Amino acid sequence: FSERSGMIGKLTAWLICLTTCVLVAGLASQPDSTESAESAPAGQVEGKVSTATIVVGPFDLHRNYRSMEGPYSVSSLRIGDLLASPAVSLREDTITFIEDGAGSPAMDGGPQSATPKGLVDSSSQPRELIWFKGLKLEVLDENDQPMPNAEFVCHLNVDVDPALRKTILPKAQHTGTSRILTITQGQTDFQFPEGFGVPVGSEELWTFTFQAANRTTSEHRRIKHRCTITFIRDKELVYPIKALHWYNPYITVTVDRNTPEAVSREHQNMPDCIGTSAGVTAPNSARGSVFSDRFGRRVSGHWVIPPGVHTYSSPIGEDSDPGFASTVRMIHAAWTHIHPLCTRTSLLQCSGNSRKEIFAVKAKTKTEGGLQLEHIENVISKEGIPLSANQHYELEATYENPTGSAQDSMVALGIFFADDNFARPDWCMAGTNTAYCGIEPARGESDRAVDTDERTITGVASASSITAPSDTTSAYPLFDSSVDGPLLSEPKQFEVETTAGKLRLILDPALAPKHATQLYRLFTNGVFDGTPICRFEPNFVLQTSTAETKSDGGGMTEAQRQMLRRLPLEVESQSSVGRAHKKWVLSMARWDAEDSAVSSFSIMLGDAPHLDKKYTVFGRLVPDEVTIQTLDRIAHEWNNQPAHILNATELTPN
């Protein structure tokens, strides 16, 4: 399991999957605080239910599999296409088999499966607001009949595109986490409570990773997975739905360098929490599951459980889940991703010497004939479970291992909070914007957003219905040297700290004086703090989002907003060089107009001479060891949890 933590942020969700391969099915209620999902069937009250079905396989199960070894299929599908399709099939030729015991590369985000059968192209239809209500996964036997249990399910991971989602739903809270849902053996039916759902744009691209498991039989089996997704179209609502957004906290253990100094620093940062437990990394850990946290320790999200009963915990910190405890929140649902033999997982609030349980999830494992998670409780609460602001929280889990040998483990949660700030975007509100009210926006130059390779600023290839927001291209005044100066006269070096590590860069006024001066002002005033990296293309570009976009769904201060300026194209210096857009240079992103650049910029990861004189080069990266390590982490974890900027510090010249 991997969502960034420490200096590299969350150990991303692809490791969640990689480490999982065996979990349960079941619906249960949390006593006095939750209600069973069975008591609140999706869409029974809110409006007409629409479903999408994906059938995968057959998976050929011809041997036993450890965690992460089962055959898998990966496919990225548009929500609108799914709803327009009677049924979608990912056939046997889409399945990849792991036969060398190396673990599944599917959790790295690929390879993508072949073209799904039965998928209808709905791209010509207007964008639509849809509410995600739940998902159910079934196992079909050789006769395509549902099996009574989920012993052949490893997991189904569902990931969104965070950058695209922010563009389509600008008034929703966004955590920057791509993993919206993990369905596992033991928890194969997950439905949101009546009156709640996750808002989705029909243009959103969701990636589905299906992986089969077999830890229970040596019999040759050919089974399928059938996924049924429940939606309600916004236009078909009868009663209102409250929007939800999510966080994905997880447990890590220290596996090296857990010095007394590191422990002391952790408790100085979170004095009310017990701290991060020690452990041993699992032998079949996924690539990247062991990383260094901000205290210099090596930690892992996939560790070994010795025989006996053992409890593990780790804090939920601002470095791993920014904004988790920044405000009062109300929990309405949570899924749990664990391995067999976990008996209990809980979210705790820590204060002084006391620890208050917010909720707990019990699980049951069948050990006869192999390990099989039989049941994991859902957390489902229509009334809501309150989470106080500015408190310390941690996750705790207990594993009971009676097998006599070591077993692997992990613990992750997907916690859904009420999104009190959500507002329907203008494009779905009749009469507010005719370009978006059931009419496909024009495909002319004025409607196309451009970045450093002339596609949309968020890295979305199809920009026909994604226009430059008005507050980016017109609300900001043009940079005026007499007012916004004086211009820099010498280069300035910064250390930009991200959730994946530190990047060192130089702003050079000799290349573009107005750009260098403006970026210097934005960095020194914290305007980029919290801004996500929205795009990564190997050997080409790494791009930040606009400064207005924040990974925690917040925004800039009014004083910071007043600093934003549009910047004119500055390419005069590019006439004297053979190639301006070389590897490691900093290049400014913009929309169509040459004076529409405001804050988004790119780090070139390869030479791109076709961009010369079209985009402004205003500085360069310092490719030292620290910076290169950070770039490697960003690339390695990109598919599930893009990094974001924490702060920037000006460095004094040597």
Side-chain angles (χ1 to χ4, degrees):
F1 153 77
S2 140
E3 289 262 15
R4 285 199 180 95
S5 176
M7 293 303 294
I8 69 170
K10 286 173 131 184
L11 182 64
T12 52
W14 50 262
L15 254 179
I16 295 183
C17 340
L18 265 173
T19 60
T20 138
C21 272
V22 202
L23 304 136
V24 290
L27 299 167
S29 60
Q30 188 67 18
D32 302 323
S33 62
T34 64
E35 60 185 62
S36 171
E38 292 178 326
S39 67
Q44 184 181 49
V45 173
E46 299 104 316
K48 178 183 176 182
V49 170
S50 297
T51 59
T53 301
I54 306 171
V55 177
V56 189
F59 293 95
D60 192 275
L61 306 180
H62 50 272
R63 67 177 178 89
N64 286 8
Y65 302 107
R66 299 185 305 173
S67 290
M68 306 177 294
E69 285 187 345
Y72 66 91
S73 178
V74 183
S75 190
S76 295
L77 306 169
R78 290 176 72 253
I79 297 302
D81 294 350
L82 280 174
L83 283 173
S85 308
V88 175
S89 175
L90 301 174
R91 299 183 181 178
E92 191 167 11
D93 60 359
T94 72
I95 294 173
T96 300
F97 289 87
I98 304 299
E99 299 297 349
D100 58 3
S104 169
M107 304 319 126
D108 292 334
Q112 292 288 298
S113 300
T115 303
K117 304 296 183 182
L119 188 66
V120 174
D121 183 359
S122 66
S123 58
S124 63
Q125 299 301 310
R127 181 189 293 171
E128 186 178 0
L129 180 63
I130 300 163
W131 294 89
F132 173 46
K133 285 293 301 178
L135 187 148
K136 182 177 182 179
L137 186 65
E138 300 170 284
V139 179
L140 305 181
D141 64 17
E142 286 80 356
N143 298 313
D144 285 342
Q145 297 300 307
M147 296 184 66
N149 58 46
E151 65 177 297
F152 299 131
V153 169
C154 173
H155 63 265
L156 162 58
N157 285 328
V158 184
D159 293 284
V160 306
D161 181 334
L164 176 56
R165 184 171 172 80
K166 289 177 182 179
T167 302
I168 294 175
L169 300 172
K171 299 176 183 178
Q173 290 194 42
H174 302 284
T175 64
T177 303
S178 65
R179 180 64 40 79
I180 187 173
L181 186 63
T182 293
I183 286 290
T184 61
Q185 183 189 93
Q187 195 175 46
T188 54
D189 193 339
F190 187 83
Q191 309 292 332
F192 296 113
E194 178 186 302
F196 294 88
V198 177
V200 179
S202 57
E203 289 175 300
E204 286 197 48
L205 192 70
W206 286 13
T207 299
F208 297 83
T209 302
F210 296 84
Q211 190 159 24
N214 180 20
R215 298 177 74 171
T216 56
T217 182
S218 58
E219 179 184 355
H220 182 211
R221 301 297 303 265
R222 288 175 60 80
I223 57 91
K224 296 178 182 178
H225 288 179
R226 181 169 66 191
C227 165
T228 303
I229 316 166
T230 306
F231 298 99
I232 300 178
R233 300 177 188 271
D234 190 70
K235 64 185 179 183
E236 294 178 338
L237 285 178
V238 177
Y239 288 93
I241 282 184
K242 180 77 172 180
L244 298 173
H245 72 110
W246 65 92
Y247 278 85
N248 293 151
Y250 62 96
I251 290 180
T252 60
V253 300
T254 61
V255 296
D256 198 8
R257 298 177 181 171
N258 195 24
T259 63
E261 293 78 13
V263 173
S264 175
R265 288 181 61 198
E266 180 178 40
H267 281 277
Q268 289 174 4
N269 181 63
M270 284 194 156
D272 295 331
C273 287
I274 288 179
T276 304
S277 299
V280 176
T281 189
N284 61 329
S285 290
R287 181 185 64 179
S289 62
V290 178
F291 62 95
S292 296
D293 70 5
R294 62 196 180 94
F295 304 114
R297 306 175 299 190
R298 288 195 179 98
V299 297
S300 176
H302 185 201
W303 68 96
V304 165
I305 299 296
V309 178
H310 306 276
T311 297
Y312 300 86
S313 65
S314 65
I316 302 175
E318 279 298 300
D319 50 355
S320 60
D321 279 272
F324 181 83
S326 62
T327 186
V328 175
R329 300 185 189 277
M330 194 67 75
I331 300 170
H332 290 283
W335 51 260
T336 308
H337 191 171
I338 54 177
H339 276 196
L341 304 179
C342 184
T343 59
R344 182 182 174 89
T345 301
S346 56
L347 173 65
L348 302 170
Q349 177 181 320
C350 311
S351 179
N353 294 322
S354 65
R355 301 166 79 225
K356 173 185 175 182
E357 186 175 274
I358 305 302
F359 66 75
V361 174
K362 296 179 181 178
K364 181 180 179 182
T365 300
K366 178 182 177 182
T367 57
E368 299 82 7
L371 298 178
Q372 179 190 343
L373 269 164
E374 290 187 304
H375 182 79
I376 304 173
E377 290 181 339
N378 279 344
V379 176
I380 302 294
S381 177
K382 185 175 179 180
E383 290 74 20
I385 305 170
L387 195 76
S388 300
N390 303 315
Q391 301 295 313
H392 297 297
Y393 293 93
E394 69 181 14
L395 294 184
E396 181 178 271
T398 298
Y399 273 81
E400 184 174 349
N401 179 6
T403 66
S405 59
Q407 303 292 335
D408 59 18
S409 68
M410 55 79 57
V411 174
L413 295 182
I415 303 177
F416 290 88
F417 296 99
D419 184 351
D420 296 325
N421 296 324
F422 176 78
R424 286 173 172 78
D426 291 343
W427 51 260
C428 78
M429 300 298 288
T432 60
N433 187 335
T434 56
Y436 288 119
C437 292
I439 301 174
E440 178 78 358
R443 296 175 180 268
E445 285 298 309
S446 62
D447 293 310
R448 184 167 54 85
V450 178
D451 65 0
T452 51
D453 88 327
E454 301 183 298
R455 286 181 286 179
T456 157
I457 204 165
T458 60
V460 181
S462 62
S464 61
S465 59
I466 303 174
T467 61
S470 60
D471 63 348
T472 298
T473 56
S474 62
Y476 303 124
L478 189 66
F479 186 94
D480 184 341
S481 300
S482 64
V483 176
D484 303 314
L487 298 177
L488 291 181
S489 59
E490 59 184 19
K492 297 290 186 179
Q493 184 169 348
F494 281 87
E495 184 173 78
V496 178
E497 185 173 356
T498 77
T499 50
K502 296 178 179 179
L503 298 169
R504 291 171 182 159
L505 53 85
I506 295 174
L507 308 178
D508 190 350
L511 297 173
K514 294 179 181 179
H515 279 70
T517 301
Q518 174 66 1
L519 269 292
Y520 176 78
R521 180 164 63 170
L522 298 185
F523 274 123
T524 54
N525 286 280
V527 177
F528 285 108
D529 294 2
T531 297
I533 295 171
C534 67
R535 180 183 178 197
F536 165 66
E537 293 191 32
N539 302 314
F540 178 47
V541 72
L542 185 76
Q543 182 178 344
T544 70
S545 184
T546 57
E548 298 97 321
T549 303
K550 301 302 179 186
S551 61
D552 63 358
M556 298 180 296
T557 65
E558 184 57 30
Q560 290 174 329
R561 184 175 292 276
Q562 292 298 322
M563 296 179 190
L564 295 181
R565 297 289 185 270
R566 288 182 295 115
L567 291 161
L569 189 65
E570 292 185 283
V571 295
E572 292 79 5
S573 67
Q574 298 183 29
S575 300
S576 60
V577 296
R579 285 187 176 182
H581 282 80
K582 296 180 180 180
K583 187 176 183 179
W584 305 137
V585 306
L586 306 179
S587 178
M588 202 69 182
R590 61 175 174 82
W591 302 92
D592 282 329
E594 290 187 348
D595 63 354
S596 62
V598 176
S599 57
S600 176
F601 66 89
S602 298
I603 298 169
M604 303 308 300
L605 303 180
D607 292 356
H610 64 287
L611 305 181
D612 290 352
K613 299 185 181 180
K614 296 180 180 179
Y615 300 91
T616 300
V617 171
F618 62 92
R620 64 187 181 277
L621 198 71
V622 180
D624 56 17
E625 182 178 0
V626 171
T627 294
I628 295 301
Q629 288 178 351
T630 300
L631 291 175
D632 286 344
R633 292 190 191 105
I634 291 173
H636 183 67
E637 301 172 7
W638 175 255
N639 287 303
N640 294 283
Q641 180 58 46
H644 65 265
I645 295 172
L646 296 173
N647 55 69
T649 304
E650 184 178 359
L651 300 179
T652 304
N654 294 329

